[in-house]
């Protein structure tokens, strides 16, 4: 009987010095990824970590696995090729809000639409950090930056809306300071068959310090976020006495015991329902509503790489193996003299 190898987080760490700024949220995410991989138990030699360009895209250097630090915005495209050629590998994409949603936006949405079996970690600090503080596609409207000295005039992308609009089968959100839940979310993403997207809200201590503070601080977090778990009531708050209910065609945050609302009125999270309507509304919450953390959507659908592999096998089964000469000599042949 073959003995199962038990991996530890350290088995996935490289010997390279981590070069992110002290206090950067990326450190925490790297730690969670190491822990999640150990929980899954995939051999490091069966992992490929692909990245584009940006602070988050340095992550492959810090992995004891195969890796590829590619070019700006092209991580999802190259990872698609890796997974299609080697469907046996566990393929991870490390990308940022600039790398993924600006120059890489087209590759991102099509990897999701195709449902390629990739684990995409989207580090969202709402700024270009590596290129020194320009606003990004997720930067809030009106934000003053080096490239918007009078405030941005653009509405930002909301990654949940974009991913689900591209027919995403898995979307989750995590925060850098919550290591336990972030590790759990990364593990769930890795176990999902198809394109999994995990948006991680990370802090850039140099160019956008405190951008997520209103929801990530320990004092604010219980009231400003809601941790969603499949099959459980959508409850939150310091005393767990608040919940999400459906009010007509909209979601509403209520306090249990006030205005006639009881625990029975609070919605139960169903991450596996194919209908995208409620998942989209949960992913879009903010402002007066708590920000949804956890696995928001996790549904089954055929994965691109698996379908390609099946198709190749079917074609090969119908066509006998031929030598090169046989291939060249098949069909009509002319002799030129």
């Amino acid at each position: 009987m073959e003995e199962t190898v038990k991996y530890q987080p350290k088995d996935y760490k490289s010997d390279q010095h981590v070069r992110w700024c002290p206090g950067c949220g990326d450190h925490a995410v790297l730690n969670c990824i190491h822990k999640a991989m150990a929980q899954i138990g995939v051999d490091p030699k069966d992992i490929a970590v692909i990245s584009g360009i940006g602070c988050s895209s340095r992550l492959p250097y810090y992995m004891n696995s195969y890796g590829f630090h590619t070019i700006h915005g092209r991580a999802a495209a190259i990872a698609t090729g890796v997974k299609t050629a080697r469907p046996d590998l566990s393929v991870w994409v490390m990308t940022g809000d600039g790398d993924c949603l600006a120059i890489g936006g087209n590759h991102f949405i099509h990897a999701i639409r195709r449902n390629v079996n990739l684990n995409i970690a989207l580090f969202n600090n709402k700024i270009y950090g590596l290129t020194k503080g320009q606003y990004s596609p997720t930067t809030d409207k009106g934000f003053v930056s080096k490239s918007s000295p009078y405030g941005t005039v653009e509405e930002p992308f909301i990654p949940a809306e974009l991913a689900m609009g591209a027919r995403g089968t898995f979307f989750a959100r995590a925060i850098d300071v919550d290591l336990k839940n972030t590790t759990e979310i990364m593990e769930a993403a890795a176990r999902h068959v198809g394109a999994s997207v995990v948006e991680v809200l990370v802090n850039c201590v140099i160019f956008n310090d405190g951008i997520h503070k209103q929801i990530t601080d320990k004092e604010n977090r219980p009231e400003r976020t809601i941790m969603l778990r499949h099959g459980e009531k959508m409850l939150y708050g310091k005393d767990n006495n608040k919940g999400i209910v459906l009010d007509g065609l909209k979601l509403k945050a209520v306090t249990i015991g006030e205005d006639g609302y009881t625990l029975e009125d609070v919605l139960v999270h169903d991450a596996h329902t194919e209908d995208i309507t409620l998942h989209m509304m949960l992913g879009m919450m903010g402002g007066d509503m708590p920000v949804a953390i956890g696995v928001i959507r996790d549904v089954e659908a055929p994965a691109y790489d698996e379908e390609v592999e099946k198709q190749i096998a079917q074609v090969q089964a119908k066509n006998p193996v031929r030598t090169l000469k046989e291939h060249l000599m098949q069909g009509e042949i002319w002799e030129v003299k």
Side-chain angles (χ1 to χ4, degrees), residues 64-241:
N64 179 34
S65 67
Y66 289 103
F68 194 174
H69 189 185
T70 72
I71 53 179
H72 207 190
R74 305 309 191 250
I78 292 169
T80 295
V82 172
K83 186 64 182 179
T84 306
R86 288 290 305 275
D88 57 305
L89 295 178
S90 175
V91 182
W92 294 69
V93 175
M94 301 298 156
T95 186
D97 46 299
D99 179 61
C100 183
L101 303 180
I103 190 171
N106 191 52
H107 297 302
F108 176 67
I109 61 173
H110 289 295
I112 295 170
R113 176 185 64 82
R114 293 182 175 118
N115 202 33
V116 187
N117 196 2
L118 305 173
N119 309 311
I120 304 171
L122 200 176
F123 295 58
N124 185 5
N125 56 18
K126 296 190 176 185
I127 202 76
Y128 279 100
L130 190 68
T131 51
K132 309 300 182 284
Q134 300 86 354
Y135 75 90
S136 83
T138 59
T139 300
D140 298 326
K141 186 177 181 179
F143 185 82
V144 174
S145 73
K146 289 183 177 179
S147 56
S148 57
Y150 305 108
T152 68
V153 296
E154 304 175 10
E155 292 292 343
F157 265 142
I158 299 174
E161 183 181 30
L162 189 64
M164 292 188 209
R167 299 182 181 178
T169 57
F170 185 104
F171 182 84
R173 187 182 288 122
I175 53 180
D176 56 3
V177 293
D178 186 1
L179 274 66
K180 181 179 180 296
N181 285 322
T182 300
T183 301
E184 178 185 302
I185 291 164
M186 290 294 180
E187 184 181 348
R191 296 190 188 284
H192 175 77
V193 178
S196 61
V197 179
V198 179
E199 176 195 13
V200 191
L201 305 181
V202 298
N203 189 44
C204 174
V205 292
I206 305 300
F207 297 108
N208 213 8
D209 193 24
I211 189 61
H212 302 299
K213 186 177 181 180
Q214 61 178 335
I215 65 170
T216 59
D217 274 9
K218 281 188 177 181
E219 189 65 28
N220 300 332
R221 204 184 311 166
E223 300 294 328
R224 300 306 309 145
T225 66
I226 178 169
M227 182 67 190
L228 298 178
R229 287 188 172 87
H230 176 73
E232 296 185 11
K233 289 278 188 179
M234 298 184 192
L235 296 171
Y236 71 103
K238 291 180 181 177
D239 300 317
N240 219 33
N241 65 335

